[in-house]
Amino acid sequence: MVGIILASHGDFAVGILQSATMIVGEQENIAAVTLQPSEGPDDIRAKIEAAAKSFDTEEVLLLADLWGGTPFNQATTLFDQHQEQWAIVAGLNLPMVIEAITSRFAMDSSHDIARAIVPVAKENIKVKPEELYEEPKAATETKQPMQALPEGTVVGSGQIDIGLARLDSRLLHGQVATAWSKDVKPTRIIVVSDQVAKDDLRKSLITQAAPPGIKANVIPISKMIEIWNDPRFGATRALLLFENPTDILRVVEGGVGIKEVNVGSMAHSEGKIMINNVLSVDKEDVKALEALRDKGVTFDVRKVPADQRKNLWELMKKAKFN
């Protein structure tokens, strides 16, 4: 019997599994894994691996809550090792789960079940009054050949508009692809990292996780400094993502005009001290943050736009880091 993993931010996967079992009864070869606020990508990846290993089959169907979210992204890194036996479907809902569970009695392939459950998940999205529902219109996209602009061409203001510069060890994930993208309304999401720029798998995951209508790029630090000084990018409104404060400092030292940094998450690792449930720092991090402060950069500690702003230095003081 195909194994099913439900993966989500928070306890959503646990709750939806409970709801499904109320309808179809207790099930074997099914597990719910969750990404908690204090956890990072490695934690949810380990949970997914453990769940898959607990099944008595190599056929695994993973149902994730959000395309481009951390559970989905980490499942995708594992998918590359099991493409013949695994399938991943995003947009987790209860009809999808019930259909996946019942399909296992007639289908023994994760790919077949994935193919079968998507129409069911879509068909069960209904609304009252019915006239509020409109069928999605097919996109009519005309692709025009793009030609490189000559050097020195000034577009728009002649300089990138930085809508948001965010420090987030998870980079492009659910909170960024949904909440922050809608708040900032960027034309481009740019991950700035020398390490990620060299990692083809991570680059692929990031570009796939971009929300509709927004292109995502991964570039090294030197390239970010270069395009900041290139007037051909003047029509770009950018959401910049950084893995660590040292990279931000290098970009600012290179002349990029970052005035404020939104601090989202900094994953915990050996040698780091937790200053709240999603932020961990070590001496190198603090040194870079202090250098940025000395250059006039301010910090806005918020996971999502609706959160109340918190003071980074007060958090570190309370944690007795410095």
Side-chain angles (χ1 to χ4, degrees):
M1 183 177 287
V2 174
I4 299 175
I5 300 174
L6 312 180
S8 72
H9 297 78
D11 293 330
F12 174 52
V14 175
I16 205 167
L17 177 56
Q18 183 183 44
S19 297
T21 54
M22 288 177 65
I23 297 169
V24 297
E26 295 292 333
Q27 299 291 316
E28 297 180 353
N29 274 19
I30 189 167
V33 299
T34 64
L35 175 68
Q36 297 301 320
S38 60
E39 296 177 327
D42 291 343
D43 297 301
I44 189 68
R45 178 188 170 103
K47 291 179 184 180
I48 293 169
E49 286 185 299
K53 288 178 181 177
S54 73
F55 300 151
D56 57 12
T57 176
E58 293 185 356
E59 289 285 335
V60 175
L61 173 65
L62 188 137
L63 307 181
D65 58 350
L66 185 67
W67 180 279
T70 301
F72 172 86
N73 290 343
Q74 292 306 305
T76 302
T77 66
L78 297 169
F79 171 78
D80 288 341
Q81 306 165 26
H82 308 279
Q83 292 190 29
E84 297 299 320
Q85 296 88 21
W86 282 40
I88 304 173
V89 181
L92 175 61
N93 63 26
L94 185 55
M96 175 193 292
V97 176
I98 293 171
E99 185 69 18
I101 291 171
T102 56
S103 293
R104 297 192 298 177
F105 298 104
M107 303 175 186
D108 55 9
S109 161
S110 64
H111 289 196
D112 289 342
I113 297 176
R115 190 179 296 113
I117 66 176
V118 172
V120 174
K122 290 181 178 179
E123 288 166 6
N124 275 274
I125 299 173
K126 302 181 185 296
V127 64
K128 278 190 176 294
E130 293 179 3
E131 60 266 24
L132 298 179
Y133 180 79
E134 294 182 5
E135 289 289 342
K137 296 178 181 178
T140 56
E141 184 179 345
T142 55
K143 294 185 178 179
Q144 300 289 340
M146 299 294 290
Q147 295 181 346
L149 295 172
E151 286 190 21
T153 302
V154 178
V155 176
S157 67
Q159 199 162 64
I160 285 181
D161 174 19
I162 299 177
L164 182 77
R166 179 173 170 92
L167 172 57
D168 191 332
S169 56
R170 289 186 284 168
L171 295 173
L172 180 49
H173 58 98
Q175 291 172 349
V176 176
T178 54
W180 282 110
S181 291
K182 289 179 180 178
D183 186 71
V184 176
K185 296 179 175 59
T187 58
R188 194 173 294 262
I189 295 173
I190 304 175
V191 171
V192 186
S193 168
D194 288 347
Q195 287 187 328
V196 183
K198 298 175 184 176
D199 189 326
D200 290 337
L201 175 58
R202 293 185 72 187
K203 284 171 64 176
S204 175
L205 289 174
I206 287 166
T207 54
Q208 289 178 36
I214 304 174
K215 190 170 183 180
N217 298 97
V218 180
I219 61 174
I221 290 168
S222 60
K223 185 66 176 179
M224 182 64 226
I225 296 169
E226 178 185 326
I227 65 175
W228 174 255
N229 295 299
D230 191 330
R232 291 175 292 182
F233 291 88
T236 301
R237 179 167 172 81
L239 193 164
L240 305 182
L241 296 173
F242 297 88
E243 254 187 323
N244 58 70
T246 302
D247 285 352
I248 302 176
L249 178 60
R250 289 176 59 194
V251 165
V252 171
E253 288 177 338
V256 177
I258 295 175
K259 304 300 181 185
E260 182 177 71
V261 173
N262 164 240
V263 183
S265 73
M266 296 174 68
H268 182 69
S269 59
E270 188 176 352
K272 293 198 172 190
I273 292 177
M274 298 283 293
I275 62 173
N276 70 5
N277 63 345
V278 294
L279 299 178
S280 300
V281 296
D282 57 21
K283 291 182 179 179
E284 184 177 349
D285 294 328
V286 174
K287 183 178 178 181
L289 291 167
E290 289 176 339
L292 285 165
R293 180 188 59 187
D294 293 344
K295 292 180 179 295
V297 177
T298 59
F299 299 93
D300 160 30
V301 181
R302 281 187 296 168
K303 289 187 291 184
V304 294
D307 287 346
Q308 185 176 1
R309 289 173 176 249
K310 294 179 181 176
N311 186 295
L312 177 64
W313 308 108
E314 287 182 3
L315 288 174
M316 287 204 285
K317 188 175 181 180
K318 288 179 182 178
K320 297 180 180 179
F321 188 89
N322 54 3

